[in-house]
Amino acid sequence: MMKIVKLGHPALRAKADAIDRIDDGVKTLADDMLDAMYAHDGCGLAANQVGVTRRLVVIDVREAKRRPSVLRIGGKSRPVHKHMPMILVNPQVEVLAGGKVAGSEACLSIPGVHGDVDRPAVVRARALDIDGNPVEFEAEGLLARALQHEIDHLDGILFIDRLSPEDRRRVADELHEMAGGMVG
Ligand code: NI
């Protein structure tokens, strides 16, 4: 089982490199990331989180029954579960109209911490699948949020960077306590 790296590990702050060839190494990495994500009950994982700075993310929102997702391909709504898990190589998102929505987030690399993050509600994603075929779809709900959270990871950005100033202060105190820090 691949180890998920935690806040403080340099890979979490690195910009990941594009994948120019989907070889067996990339396929194995994707499988290992899925295993790690499921083992920790996550709904998404980026390669940076297993210490590999390559642009690969995995997502599976099926277990989050109370946080629905919408998936559209070619303008048509599709059953989300049929497209899970998603393995996305070199994913990108484009923000579509619809404004931002607040939603609770957490991260397997920052255990015990959660907070509300404002993110665009509707996005269009483009990526390659694990066979190298281009994929393009629109997402709303948890899927849109997960895509943005995971692609942020590929750019060295963590959800705690996007919290409100008040939440960031609260989280900083929590992280300090978790690290065993003591203010003298
Ligand atoms: Ni995360």
Side-chain angles (χ1 to χ4, degrees):
M1 177 71 60
M2 288 190 109
K3 219 176 136 168
I4 294 178
V5 302
K6 301 295 173 355
L7 187 66
H9 190 288
L12 294 176
R13 289 307 190 180
K15 194 167 163 64
D17 298 317
I19 292 172
D20 51 18
R21 203 166 76 86
I22 301 172
D23 55 15
D24 287 349
V26 173
K27 291 180 181 181
T28 302
L29 174 61
D31 285 343
D32 290 347
M33 284 169 57
L34 283 170
D35 288 346
M37 176 180 75
Y38 290 132
H40 295 89
D41 297 320
C43 65
L45 195 69
N48 298 49
Q49 293 182 272
V50 292
V52 178
T53 53
R54 305 185 75 185
R55 300 188 84 81
L56 178 65
V57 309
V58 295
I59 289 175
D60 193 333
V61 295
R62 281 176 293 187
E63 286 303 306
K65 305 241 190 304
R66 281 180 298 177
R67 298 184 73 181
S69 295
V70 174
L71 171 66
R72 279 187 297 269
I73 299 174
K76 278 194 188 147
S77 234
R78 301 292 179 98
V80 174
H81 66 272
K82 287 200 176 162
H83 293 271
M84 298 292 144
M86 284 182 162
I87 300 171
L88 301 174
V89 176
N90 299 335
Q92 292 182 298
V93 281
E94 172 194 347
V95 174
L96 301 179
K100 288 190 172 184
V101 284
S104 177
E105 293 189 23
C107 182
L108 294 175
S109 294
I110 316 173
V113 172
H114 61 89
D116 275 359
V117 182
D118 286 341
R119 294 197 190 264
V122 190
V123 296
R124 174 178 293 131
R126 289 189 180 87
L128 297 178
D129 69 16
I130 197 62
D131 298 313
N133 303 308
V135 292
E136 181 177 334
F137 59 93
E138 285 177 29
E140 283 182 50
L142 183 62
L143 179 58
R145 182 168 295 280
L147 280 163
Q148 294 174 77
H149 178 116
E150 300 314 331
I151 292 172
D152 268 356
H153 272 301
L154 302 180
D155 293 321
I157 298 166
L158 301 171
F159 85 95
I160 54 175
D161 306 338
R162 298 193 183 278
L163 295 173
S164 67
E166 306 85 73
D167 264 16
R168 208 173 308 161
R169 273 193 293 278
R170 171 182 63 77
V171 164
D173 289 344
E174 287 174 8
L175 289 173
H176 191 69
E177 275 169 34
M178 265 187 260
M182 206 195 92
V183 182

